Amino acid sequence: MGRLFVINLEGKIYSRKHCQTHLALYDDIISKSFHCRHGKAYLFRKVVNVSVGEKEDRMMITGMHTVADIFCVGCGSIVGWTYEAAHEKSQKYKEGKFVLERFKVSGPDGSNYWPSREAHISGSDADDA
Amino acid sequence: MGGVEDDEPPTKRVKASSGELRSLLNYSLLSEPLTGSLGDSMARPLPSQGDEEMVGTKGVIKRVEFVRIITKALYTLGYEKSGALLEQESGIPLHSSVVNLLRQQVLSGNWDESVATLHKIGLSDETVVKSASFLILEQKFFEFLEKDKIMDALMTLRTEIAPLCINTSRVHDLSACIVSPSRRLLLGLSSQDIVSANSRSKLLEKLQKLLPPTVMVPERRLEHLVEQALSVQREACVFHNSLDSALSLYSDHQCGKDQIPSRTLQVNEDGGVSLKHTLTGHQKPVLTVSWSPDDRQLLTCGIEEAIRRWDVSSGECLHIYEKAGVGLISCGWLPDGKRVFSGMTDKSICMWDLDGKELECWKGQRTLKISDMALTNDGKRIITMCRENAILLLDREAKGDRLIEEDQTVTSFSLSRDNKFLLVNLLNQEIHLWSIDGDIKLVSKYKGHKRTRFVIRSCFGGFDQAFIASGSEDSQVYVWHRGTGELLEALPGHSGAVNCVSWNPADPHMLASASDDRTIRIWGLNRVNLKRKDTYSNGIIHHCNGGI
């Protein structure tokens, strides 16, 4: 395959669990109180080495949003989503930001997260008051 | 200037007898002698195109100017008789009678009369009159000196040249000439120059440049206008990809799309055109391949590993370059072929001689893991990505590094052959062309190809590097016109992402592309009978991405 273009981050890095591609920095976390099908998720102001999928309107916990899934350039698997547009004013702060599913990444210290069996949150998203 | 000056002023001809005129007309194919106006001493225009002041469909060409530059062109080409005839037939003399008189007087050395005539021309600008007088009198001065008439020369200088009060430094030079003859040589004038008839013609040339074009038509004006038009046509020709000898005056120049490579000539799989050697030794995937300036050696870089230097004919590995504790990520040659350089994982750049002795090291944030590296042909500047969105032009002679800053992440770049431009590929699927000679500025943008995951390379190519080509993740080869930014071709054929392209520097009609479908394609013109040069040498592929 061709040569992947990957940006290398420095600092406390969250990387893709299996292919080790750098995805985001600890310092860029806006909120840790997001949720997805696989449990915890973090809102980041910036992520790297992802490709963006098709835009679609999705009903999230906090309301209707226009989102696009994001995929790791290294292994191509889905790692989260990004907010293209929020339909409610109070949710506008999410626009242009990215959510990474904690389950899909290795933390800065190499730690991993395993979703607990009880965490059957119906739907994704969360509010950050 | 090879043209012949008109030595027989047309005014003379006008006074000629009608007998002479008729003998001129015998050159034409007319059997009937022309009657009427041509028998008169004063020519009148034939009623063919009427007496309109303007010619041409747009009404911007003045008849008088048009005819005069044609007349001038005829004389320059050596067609004296035709020139004179045109002046008669059109009734538009090339030079007014006053100017003709001036030319006559200058050529025969009647200096005082010529200065007087100069004043009669009716020039509005006093300084022009003075400068022209200066030139004429200077010639008079030099001719006196040549004939050793020192007193006369001195008189001229004092009473005629100096009172003009212009160009005083030249006046000083002239007075120095009287005192010491060697000074004349310093002014670039040999005695041959002064005495020969040439110097008077040269004086006429200088006067011509000085006087306004309405008084004396400038040399080669018609040729200049035609060249201008051809130049405009050539620039407007978007597909232009051949030598300029193809330009004709008979019709506007317009190349067809068939001038750029668009048809696959060859598909090479599993190893290359004809496998010569397999170079083994690298433990890690090979990132870049670089030919030596003499084409006899290859430099290859394993990802975050070492560089190996190979002999092309034997396939033998000649040297391995490594540095303890760091991995090497890019490599290249210096133009003298005696030194190699490389980027490191610790962001520095190192230079070695062929035996592996470290010569120079630039520490600090000079390069990135994903960075390309290029060296200018004079070996003076190293070009490297020093930050995500910035390219460093590192000056080896420490004359001052410069920076190209983009607002997007840079993925790869390519240097033009003349080292004046840099083609930069960006994360957001745009290709930017930067001028790096002199002021750094963005010149053009090219869009259309696809890039989301891989390093896709682009290059300059075609005749005069007038095109930009790029690979793309949609398996096509993209070609744009460099000047206008217009997308000319998106060539299908590959069945995987096209990672890099290389336009043959020797043959503007050949392009090569390398793809994830594990093939290399050679592209040529879409014509049955084409000449293909077998130059499968260094030009074709400078970089190979991934040997996985």
Side-chain angles (χ1 to χ4, degrees):
Chain A
M1 116 172 139
R3 183 177 173 199
L4 279 173
F5 181 77
V6 277
I7 296 171
N8 288 290
L9 297 170
E10 271 157 37
K12 293 194 275 193
I13 304 167
Y14 285 87
S15 46
R16 176 72 187 104
K17 211 190 262 188
H18 304 299
C19 67
Q20 300 308 310
T21 307
H22 294 185
L23 291 176
L25 288 171
Y26 176 81
D27 295 330
D28 285 330
I29 296 178
I30 302 174
S31 162
K32 286 188 173 183
S33 340
F34 276 68
H35 305 284
C36 63
R37 193 169 316 165
H38 300 119
K40 274 203 283 184
Y42 296 168
L43 182 71
F44 289 87
R45 70 175 55 89
K46 182 186 168 189
V47 304
V48 294
N49 300 327
V50 295
S51 54
V52 183
E54 295 291 312
K55 283 193 276 197
E56 60 175 28
D57 287 331
R58 243 179 248 171
M59 181 53 97
M60 325 245 357
I61 296 173
T62 51
M64 189 61 97
H65 294 78
T66 310
V67 298
D69 288 328
I70 54 179
F71 305 85
C72 167
V73 297
C75 57
S77 55
I78 188 169
V79 291
W81 65 89
T82 178
Y83 291 95
E84 302 277 345
H87 297 207
E88 283 172 50
K89 236 181 173 175
S90 57
Q91 304 302 310
K92 290 278 182 195
Y93 73 96
K94 293 175 185 167
E95 283 177 4
K97 310 286 190 293
F98 303 84
V99 173
L100 290 180
E101 300 185 12
R102 185 63 186 83
F103 169 55
K104 300 284 175 73
V105 302
S106 309
D109 48 0
S111 63
N112 289 318
Y113 162 81
W114 303 99
S116 62
R117 272 186 223 153
E118 299 92 42
H120 260 309
I121 317 263
S122 51
S124 311
D125 200 33
D127 217 326
D128 188 31
Chain B
M1 188 193 86
V4 181
E5 288 287 23
D6 49 340
D7 43 23
E8 243 187 312
T11 42
K12 271 196 187 167
R13 293 229 179 189
V14 171
K15 289 180 199 144
S17 67
S18 36
E20 262 188 63
L21 283 173
R22 270 200 215 103
S23 66
L24 262 178
L25 292 174
N26 284 336
Y27 287 113
S28 73
L29 297 170
L30 295 165
S31 48
E32 252 181 282
L34 285 169
T35 56
S37 51
L38 280 179
D40 300 346
S41 53
M42 210 37 221
R44 273 191 219 114
L46 288 172
S48 50
Q49 248 203 357
D51 253 318
E52 295 112 18
E53 203 186 312
M54 307 304 260
V55 298
T57 51
K58 297 204 165 84
V60 294
I61 306 173
K62 298 193 189 84
R63 171 186 288 275
V64 172
E65 291 187 357
F66 195 48
V67 173
R68 282 179 82 203
I69 61 172
I70 295 174
T71 313
K72 182 78 183 177
L74 285 172
Y75 282 123
T76 311
L77 286 167
Y79 304 132
E80 306 268 329
K81 294 186 185 122
S82 303
L85 185 57
L86 180 54
E87 287 191 72
Q88 275 177 345
E89 269 197 72
S90 61
I92 301 170
L94 178 59
H95 298 127
S96 64
S97 47
V98 186
V99 173
N100 275 323
L101 189 60
L102 175 68
R103 293 172 73 91
Q104 241 182 297
Q105 287 165 340
V106 166
L107 285 173
S108 34
N110 303 341
W111 309 121
D112 300 325
E113 289 94 326
S114 59
V115 175
T117 312
L118 195 60
H119 283 86
K120 284 194 207 140
I121 291 180
L123 295 165
S124 49
D125 193 349
E126 264 303 298
T127 38
V128 173
V129 179
K130 283 192 181 170
S131 306
S133 310
F134 194 100
L135 282 172
I136 296 174
L137 292 167
E138 204 184 68
Q139 182 71 15
K140 177 180 179 185
F141 172 83
F142 280 123
E143 290 200 6
F144 275 146
L145 281 184
E146 260 333 287
K147 294 178 203 154
D148 276 329
K149 292 185 176 166
I150 311 290
M151 286 318 293
D152 288 324
L154 196 55
M155 278 300 290
T156 311
L157 187 60
R158 271 201 198 138
T159 62
E160 291 169 31
I161 299 181
L164 289 173
C165 295
I166 54 168
N167 213 347
T168 36
S169 58
R170 182 77 174 169
V171 175
H172 294 160
D173 287 336
L174 294 177
S175 43
C177 281
I178 299 181
V179 176
S180 92
S182 56
R183 274 293 210 151
R184 262 174 265 166
L185 292 170
L186 274 177
L187 285 176
L189 302 152
S190 70
S191 48
Q192 277 152 322
D193 277 343
I194 302 294
V195 171
S196 68
N198 256 337
S199 74
R200 288 186 186 170
S201 311
K202 284 202 182 125
L203 171 61
L204 260 185
E205 273 181 55
K206 283 191 215 167
L207 283 171
Q208 194 171 273
K209 284 197 189 121
L210 191 60
L211 296 171
T214 43
V215 173
M216 279 214 219
V217 177
E219 279 302 315
R220 303 222 135 84
R221 183 64 189 157
L222 184 59
E223 290 90 323
H224 172 77
L225 287 170
V226 172
E227 281 169 351
Q228 235 181 35
L230 288 176
S231 189
V232 166
Q233 283 173 28
R234 191 172 54 83
E235 256 140 61
C237 175
V238 151
F239 299 113
H240 190 80
N241 198 19
S242 48
L243 288 171
D244 284 338
S245 52
L247 292 174
S248 159
L249 293 181
Y250 295 133
S251 59
D252 278 3
H253 177 73
Q254 181 62 56
C255 285
K257 237 185 185 185
D258 57 310
Q259 285 301 305
I260 22 176
S262 56
R263 185 171 76 98
T264 304
L265 300 178
Q266 221 181 21
V267 180
N268 301 306
E269 305 175 69
D270 294 332
V273 181
S274 60
L275 184 58
K276 189 167 168 141
H277 292 294
T278 303
L279 309 173
T280 46
H282 276 296
Q283 305 296 316
K284 296 272 180 69
V286 178
L287 263 185
T288 30
V289 169
S290 182
W291 288 87
S292 65
D294 65 4
D295 292 346
R296 296 220 212 110
Q297 293 176 41
L298 264 184
L299 210 56
T300 58
C301 183
I303 191 168
E304 293 184 41
E305 191 208 27
I307 302 180
R308 282 172 180 255
R309 183 165 59 87
W310 312 81
D311 180 282
V312 174
S313 39
S314 65
E316 189 196 328
C317 178
L318 301 173
H319 205 279
I320 304 176
Y321 304 89
E322 298 177 289
K323 200 163 183 189
V326 288
L328 277 58
I329 48 175
S330 56
C331 62
W333 293 85
L334 259 78
D336 64 1
K338 299 204 176 76
R339 288 166 289 175
V340 298
F341 63 93
S342 165
M344 319 265 144
T345 45
D346 68 356
K347 304 211 178 107
S348 63
I349 299 175
C350 241
M351 196 165 79
W352 292 275
D353 68 10
L354 290 182
D355 301 320
K357 189 176 104 179
E358 189 176 304
L359 300 171
E360 270 186 88
C361 191
W362 292 270
K363 294 210 180 286
Q365 189 161 349
R366 308 293 189 164
T367 188
L368 300 177
K369 269 193 202 176
I370 201 67
S371 175
D372 286 344
M373 276 236 279
L375 195 71
T376 51
N377 296 336
D378 56 9
K380 290 193 184 152
R381 282 181 294 171
I382 299 180
I383 303 174
T384 161
M385 279 150 61
C386 63
R387 287 201 312 264
E388 253 173 50
N389 58 349
I391 298 176
L392 175 67
L393 306 174
L394 196 160
D395 194 306
R396 278 189 54 222
E397 296 170 344
K399 283 193 190 143
D401 298 343
R402 295 188 299 164
L403 217 56
I404 293 178
E405 285 182 279
E406 282 278 3
D407 49 11
Q408 274 278 323
T409 306
V410 176
T411 56
S412 66
F413 61 77
S414 170
L415 188 58
S416 67
R417 214 183 313 159
D418 60 7
N419 291 176
K420 290 187 181 162
F421 294 92
L422 198 68
L423 199 61
V424 178
N425 286 52
L426 298 168
L427 197 73
N428 67 348
Q429 301 180 134
E430 284 185 17
I431 302 177
H432 288 182
L433 179 65
W434 288 81
S435 162
I436 57 172
D437 190 41
D439 288 336
I440 293 192
K441 58 176 190 259
L442 180 62
V443 175
S444 290
K445 294 189 186 185
Y446 309 98
K447 299 180 211 192
H449 70 297
K450 300 276 174 277
R451 189 224 82 85
T452 46
R453 298 175 68 198
F454 302 113
V455 175
I456 299 292
R457 296 192 184 282
S458 51
C459 69
F460 294 87
F463 183 76
D464 212 21
Q465 297 215 305
F467 303 99
I468 304 289
S470 174
S472 171
E473 281 175 25
D474 65 6
S475 314
Q476 299 182 99
V477 173
Y478 283 73
V479 181
W480 295 265
H481 183 248
R482 175 176 163 176
T484 60
E486 187 189 331
L487 179 65
L488 301 175
E489 294 271 24
L491 306 171
H494 278 294
S495 48
V498 180
N499 295 306
C500 65
V501 289
S502 186
W503 208 304
N504 191 328
D507 181 354
H509 300 145
M510 185 190 285
L511 186 58
S513 58
S515 163
D516 274 354
D517 64 6
R518 295 169 189 253
T519 68
I520 296 171
R521 278 184 182 238
I522 309 290
W523 305 80
L525 296 182
N526 204 3
R527 281 200 314 242
V528 180
N529 53 327
L530 40 80
K531 273 189 300 184
R532 196 157 51 85
K533 288 183 203 161
D534 277 310
T535 47
Y536 289 112
S537 70
N538 44 323
I540 298 213
I541 299 185
H542 270 134
H543 299 276
C544 282
N545 285 324
I548 302 171

